[in-house]
Every structure is written in C-alpha cells, then in structure tokens.
Amino acid sequence: MLSEKLKQAREIDQKGIEFISSDERPAFHVTGGIGWINDPNGFSIYKGEYHLFFQYHPYSTHWGPMHWGHVKTKDFVKWEFLPVALAPDTDFDDEGCFSGSAIEMPDGRQLLMYTGVSHEMPEDGIEQVIQQQCIAIGDGINYEKYKGNPVLTANDLPKDGSKFDFRDPKIWRDGDDYYAVVGNRGPDNTGNILLFTSKDGFAWSFVTILDSSHNEYGRMWECPDFFALDGKYMLMTSPQEMAADGLKFHAGFGVICLVGDYDKTNCRFKREDVLAVDYGLDFYAPQTLETEDGRRIMIAWMQNWTNVNTRVDGVRIFGEMTLPRELHYRDGMLIQNPVREIESYRKHETVCKNVVVKEETELDQIKGRIMDMTVTVRPKDVKNYGTFILKIGKDERHETVIKYIPKENLFKIDRSKSALRYDIVHRRKFYVSDHEGEIKLRVIMDKHSIELFINDGEQAASMMLYDNGIADGISFEAESEVYVDVEKYDLVIS
Ligand code: FRU
C-alpha cells in the first residue's frame, strides 16, 4: 500500500520527468525528476543493474522533508528514472528519510537502510528531533517500511553518542555477516564513525567506534563509507565544519579519505593517512559500490552546502551527481578517473599534437561544451617555464579559467565568470605533483559542470557552472612557449 505522501511525491516527480525537457537537464549527470536533490544514497547493484537513490525534495528547488528519489543504469552514463522510493510517512521518519544505503538480499529483495528523522517528546515537554536507523524492503520499485523500525536507536549508541546526530548508514555484507558504518556526533562535538553488525540485516548491534575526528578533521562526520582498495582500507567521510589546512583541506564542508589497515577479526581500523578526495568547489557525500568485474566506483553530490541558497532564476531542478569515478590507491594517492563506460559515447575525435603555444590561442576545431578532452602540456624550456592557462566554456562574457604554475607546482581554478551573480566561493588552488614539467588534464564537461582529472587521476576537481550552458570556446595560453597535445571528443548521449 502506497501512502498518500509517497503517491503525491511520485505524481510530481512524474510530471517533472514529462514536462522538464532534456534542454533543461544535463546530458549525462543524474538530477531529480524535478526540484532538489542532495546526497547519493543506496548506490549498489540490484539484479544486475546499478541503482542509485538520492535525497530528494520534489516540491521545490530547496531542501525540505527528505524523500528518496530513484534511478538506475547499466553503464553509469545513461540513467533511467524510477518512481520515488521513500517518503517521510511514518512515525519514525516523518521529519525526513535521510541518507543511507542499499543491498541485495539472498532472497532477491532489496534492503534499504536509512536514517529516520522524527520527533521525541521528553518528560520536560520540549520537543526534540532525533535520528534513528530504519529499514525498508522491496523489489527495486516499491518498498515497504520494516515493521521492526527503528532498528538502531539511542540505546545502541556508545557512551555520550548524540541521538540528534546519528545518521547515514552504509551497509555491506562480508561472508555471512552484515556490517554498517554510521556517522555520529560524539562528546565535545567531534565526529565518530560507528560500526554495527547484524546476522540478518534487520537486527543490529554496536561493535566499536571505527575512527574519530577528535575535532581535528572537522566536527560531525556525515555519510561514511568503508571499503578495501588495492591492499588498504578506505574510510571515507564528509566532515562538517572543517578548518582549512594548507591547500589540502579547505574550510567548511569537505570530503576526506582515511587510509589504513583493518583487522577484520577484531574490527580494528588503524589509520595511517588522511587524504583530500576532490580539490574543486562542489563535491560532497560520496558513496561507492563494487562492480561485478571488481571495480570500485564512486559517485558524489556535485554541490557544496555553503552555496545552496543561491539560484539561477527560474530553474526547476537543483543539484546533480558527479559522473561516477573508478578508484584506485597508488603511491599514497587516491586515484580517480571517469568510468570507462563514458568512452563509448565519444564522437567527433579531434587530435592536435605538439602545438607550440604562447599568446592566447584557439585551435582549429577545438571547441565544445559536452565533451571529454585531454590536454597534455610540456615546456619547451624547462628552466624557463611560466604559467599555462586553459580557458573553457568561453564566449564574449563567460569563461572558466584553469591555471598551472609549474614553478610552484600550483594549480588554480576560477569559475567567477561562469557563475552565479553572487559572491560565493568561485576559486580554489591546490598543489599537484611534479612530472618533470609535464601536466595532463582530462576535462569532462556537461552543460553545467566541469570535472577535472589531473595527471591520470592523481587529483580530481569538480565544479558546477551557472552560465548559459552553451559557451563552448576553448583557448590555450602560456607565459613561455609550451608544447600542447589535445585529444577532444564530443560526448553524445542519444
Ligand atoms: C549530508 C546530509 C546527511 C543527511 C542528509 C540530509 O549532505 O546532511 O548527513 O542524511 O544530508 O538530507
């Protein structure tokens, strides 16, 4: 039986899918049918297809009582809308169905584990909003909330764990056992990642605190994920209230990857390193899955909470996911590259080799907006190697500027001329590693976004653009002469 709230949400979502034309949508990035989306949820394989749910408020382009929207894909590029999966329609989630995850059960059903936000009326009569973990079970389209909800409550928390910030379960199975990591605000406001276990996916118990921020890497840790990658374990989380640290971590909402070893028998994670995940302007709450051919794929919300209250006039959809990325861990770095499936959508190849560039130059046939372009730059004279500038999304009024300053190994991005008419954060800079002066940039561009992959994925930087979505000029410029190779394709998603 569908609740009235779910029916209503499905109706408005369906209207959005029908009436908002493809011109208003990105070509290959996930959005909601209509209205607002944030975090990816339940990114997982179900019956041989990849499912993605997301935090969804179809009623406006602003955050509101959270539903779960739903899409699926066979190749991470072409997505199919499915009906809204969850609405905030029970006593334990009437303030919202917050983030969570999904898994295929041995009996063929799909289990969703999410955070139910609801009211609690303590004896003093002052109402409080609390967070508990809940379950819904279904067939890939319709889900029923589990009768035993909530399955994790304040009683399951370690000492002094906050019941007000206890959210975003990420579930996995290991052998016969289920596990979930959940974010929690511990004493002193610090972020903790809690580990829970279950024999059947329904009855859960607390195991340990897997790791803690100790107020060093932000405060509350949201949206954790935990997985093995190339011989190490990665505990990824999205901290709130990060303090900036050099050029590695910027202030505010960020995403970090704690790298370490994991002793499975005793459930102990030993952290060895902390990495930044994306150096751009818009990237939060990533979630990963493992494909049948063993690839670890990550998708994230291509937004930053700090910027969400400003809009282009008249938009009917707000929020997009990144293009999914393949992850590796190599030489102490989290290597990220666009899913290889995107390559089947490359059309109209244009290649230039060893072009000498100094003054701002546009190259014959090198322009485009919905594209996959790789630019490799080599100095003519390493000793005398000045700034290299790539401009994309260019017309008379717009441009997004990418600068490489080899003397300092510094990289800068600036979208201030392709952006909202608000003074939000438009620029970032960060260090890149030195490959004897050569730098390789892969640019994945859609109507309203740029995702940059630097030096074969050693670093990634994502940002939303708010210009006309059409400007397609590209120029190259260098302080001292450089050789430039360009390989450019349009991405045609038919
Ligand atoms: C992260 C987050 C999650 C929460 C969700 C609510 O972006 O704050 O912690 O579950 O968004 O929409």
Side-chain angles (χ1 to χ4, degrees):
M1 262 281 284
L2 302 185
S3 69
E4 279 313 307
K5 271 197 181 161
L6 185 58
K7 270 195 220 152
Q8 232 177 41
R10 283 185 170 189
E11 267 167 37
I12 174 112
D13 177 59
Q14 192 50 42
K15 277 197 186 132
I17 296 165
E18 279 167 29
F19 295 114
I20 299 181
S21 75
S22 55
D23 295 348
E24 256 181 80
R25 298 183 184 279
F28 54 97
H29 287 84
V30 171
T31 64
I34 188 169
W36 160 284
I37 71 167
N38 57 289
D39 315 354
N41 296 155
F43 188 40
S44 58
I45 304 186
Y46 182 64
K47 300 208 162 142
E49 294 180 301
Y50 305 111
H51 282 245
L52 176 72
F53 303 81
F54 45 84
Q55 292 286 279
Y56 192 27
H57 187 241
Y59 298 104
S60 77
T61 57
H62 289 266
W63 191 88
M66 280 292 116
H67 297 60
W68 275 34
H70 191 184
V71 288
K72 69 174 183 179
T73 181
K74 290 189 172 66
D75 69 358
F76 301 113
V77 179
K78 272 171 114 164
W79 297 85
E80 183 188 327
F81 282 112
L82 294 174
V84 179
L86 300 178
D89 53 11
T90 64
D91 289 348
F92 43 81
D93 62 18
D94 58 356
E95 280 287 308
C97 300
F98 275 20
S99 284
S101 48
I103 194 165
E104 182 166 349
M105 300 300 280
D107 65 6
R109 293 183 299 168
Q110 191 179 31
L111 180 142
L112 312 183
M113 189 173 187
Y114 68 98
T115 301
V117 184
S118 60
H119 287 94
E120 188 181 67
M121 187 64 86
E123 275 166 15
D124 65 10
I126 300 173
E127 200 174 71
Q128 326 189 80
V129 175
I130 58 161
Q131 302 186 339
Q132 309 177 102
Q133 312 323 312
C134 299
I135 278 171
I137 187 105
D139 60 2
I141 302 276
N142 294 309
Y143 300 86
E144 211 170 296
K145 306 252 169 99
Y146 174 51
K147 295 210 169 40
N149 278 340
V151 296
L152 284 171
T153 70
N155 299 332
D156 301 291
L157 287 168
K159 189 170 174 304
D160 298 329
S162 163
K163 61 182 173 183
F164 309 113
D165 286 296
F166 175 33
R167 58 181 177 270
D168 312 334
K170 175 76 198 285
I171 189 173
W172 73 95
R173 186 169 35 235
D174 192 356
D176 289 339
D177 297 316
Y178 294 85
Y179 292 93
V181 277
V182 187
N184 185 221
R185 193 183 286 269
D188 303 333
N189 269 333
T190 198
N192 287 332
I193 305 291
L194 311 184
L195 179 70
F196 294 89
T197 189
S198 167
K199 284 281 168 212
D200 60 1
F202 294 87
W204 290 86
S205 56
F206 173 71
V207 181
T208 189
I209 299 178
L210 215 49
D211 204 346
S212 171
S213 169
H214 300 298
N215 282 321
E216 200 185 342
Y217 295 97
R219 295 227 157 93
M220 172 65 187
W221 277 358
E222 304 189 298
C223 301
D225 196 352
F226 189 48
F227 53 90
L229 188 70
D230 299 325
K232 287 282 168 196
Y233 273 81
M234 308 286 142
L235 183 55
M236 242 182 224
T237 187
S238 301
Q240 296 179 314
E241 300 169 81
M242 283 269 280
D245 181 359
L247 296 184
K248 187 171 175 187
F249 302 115
H250 58 80
F253 295 85
V255 180
I256 57 173
C257 180
L258 313 170
V259 184
D261 285 323
Y262 184 52
D263 165 3
K264 269 195 194 179
T265 320
N266 300 302
C267 298
R268 291 282 171 272
F269 175 69
K270 193 160 156 276
R271 186 207 300 177
E272 289 165 1
D273 202 2
V274 183
L275 306 175
V277 177
D278 188 284
Y279 289 82
L281 295 154
D282 298 298
F283 187 91
Y284 201 64
Q287 217 174 60
T288 69
L289 60 70
E290 193 183 356
T291 58
E292 263 145 26
D293 59 2
R295 290 178 292 156
R296 181 58 61 173
I297 308 288
M298 173 175 76
I299 193 166
W301 183 41
M302 203 159 26
Q303 256 304 331
N304 186 327
W305 278 110
T306 319
N307 296 340
V308 295
N309 288 323
T310 46
R311 295 276 175 293
V312 173
D313 293 341
V315 292
R316 294 189 282 180
I317 41 179
F318 185 90
E320 291 183 20
M321 299 299 167
T322 62
L323 176 65
R325 299 174 184 179
E326 298 187 12
L327 299 185
H328 278 289
Y329 180 67
R330 200 178 64 222
D331 302 332
M333 289 179 284
L334 183 72
I335 306 294
Q336 304 170 54
N337 280 298
V339 273
R340 62 193 67 170
E341 285 84 345
I342 191 76
E343 289 162 30
S344 348
Y345 295 91
R346 286 169 162 182
K347 293 269 150 56
H348 318 130
E349 177 187 73
T350 316
V351 177
C352 309
K353 288 241 185 272
N354 284 320
V355 182
V356 178
V357 167
K358 190 162 187 310
E359 269 77 46
E360 185 168 359
T361 317
E362 296 194 2
L363 302 176
D364 213 21
Q365 294 186 46
I366 302 286
K367 60 178 191 160
R369 180 79 183 197
I370 301 176
M371 64 166 185
D372 180 352
M373 174 174 76
T374 300
V375 176
T376 311
V377 184
R378 286 178 301 279
K380 217 170 163 188
D381 168 10
V382 185
K383 285 197 209 84
N384 177 22
Y385 188 9
T387 304
F388 169 76
I389 303 171
L390 171 69
K391 293 183 181 164
I392 48 186
K394 240 170 86 88
D395 62 14
E396 297 74 42
R397 301 197 57 172
H398 307 104
E399 61 189 26
T400 298
V401 184
I402 297 161
K403 280 190 188 170
Y404 171 50
I405 303 153
K407 286 202 180 79
E408 299 169 63
N409 285 329
L410 198 61
F411 201 87
K412 292 186 180 176
I413 54 179
D414 180 347
R415 65 156 179 211
S416 52
K417 288 195 189 156
S418 44
L420 291 163
R421 293 158 183 256
Y422 297 91
D423 193 17
I424 58 171
V425 183
H426 291 311
R427 294 179 197 86
R428 286 227 197 280
K429 53 183 179 180
F430 49 93
Y431 293 114
V432 292
S433 53
D434 185 3
H435 293 267
E436 289 162 5
E438 178 169 311
I439 191 145
K440 192 168 170 192
L441 299 179
R442 179 150 173 213
V443 181
I444 299 281
M445 193 170 184
D446 200 339
K447 273 178 221 159
H448 298 292
S449 62
I450 296 176
E451 289 156 275
L452 288 176
F453 299 88
I454 301 156
N455 291 332
D456 294 309
E458 287 181 357
Q459 277 158 300
S462 314
M463 66 192 121
M464 292 296 295
L465 305 178
Y466 299 91
D467 63 355
N468 57 14
I470 299 166
D472 63 356
I474 298 173
S475 75
F476 305 84
E477 186 182 344
E479 234 170 34
S480 58
E481 283 188 328
V482 291
Y483 295 111
V484 176
D485 298 344
V486 187
E487 184 183 330
K488 202 225 97 196
Y489 304 87
D490 294 323
L491 291 171
V492 181
I493 322 294
S494 50

